[in-house]
Amino acid sequence: SKGMTLYVWDNDLTVPGKIQCVGVCVLSWPPLLAGEGDKPTGEYTLIVREDGQRQWAYKGRPLYRWANDAKPGDRTGDGFRAGTWHLVRP
């Protein structure tokens, strides 16, 4: 809703339906959390995190922001950590 770039992480593919970015990972890669009344639509779904919060996913892949992106349109996280973080592309 703020126009910030969204990312997916290859490590989330290791165990389908299980979010791998937990603990200190979320300090750099905040999850795109769903609001209380949010409902899935089309290819956008919701995954429940281990802490019970609901996180948006696109085509089954959890969505994140990158803490170092300062303004809408920044894409500095693309290719980060040996190319395992990627821009979301519809």
Side-chain angles (χ1 to χ4, degrees):
S1 67
K2 296 179 182 174
M4 300 303 286
T5 302
L6 296 174
Y7 299 89
V8 291
W9 191 28
D10 288 347
N11 286 17
D12 280 329
L13 294 173
T14 58
V15 180
K18 180 153 174 57
I19 295 169
Q20 301 296 317
C21 185
V22 296
V24 295
C25 178
V26 300
L27 298 176
S28 296
W29 299 95
L32 181 62
L33 298 176
E36 196 169 310
D38 291 347
K39 302 220 184 300
T41 182
E43 297 192 77
Y44 291 93
T45 57
L46 296 170
I47 297 175
V48 178
R49 298 182 58 81
E50 289 181 357
D51 61 6
Q53 294 181 315
R54 298 179 314 147
Q55 181 175 351
W56 282 106
Y58 180 68
K59 295 184 178 181
R61 299 191 67 188
L63 298 174
Y64 303 90
R65 293 174 289 113
W66 170 229
N68 290 341
D69 283 349
K71 62 186 181 315
D74 283 356
R75 304 182 306 181
T76 62
D78 191 30
F80 190 78
R81 192 174 278 168
T84 60
W85 287 93
H86 309 281
L87 294 171
V88 173
R89 299 187 192 277

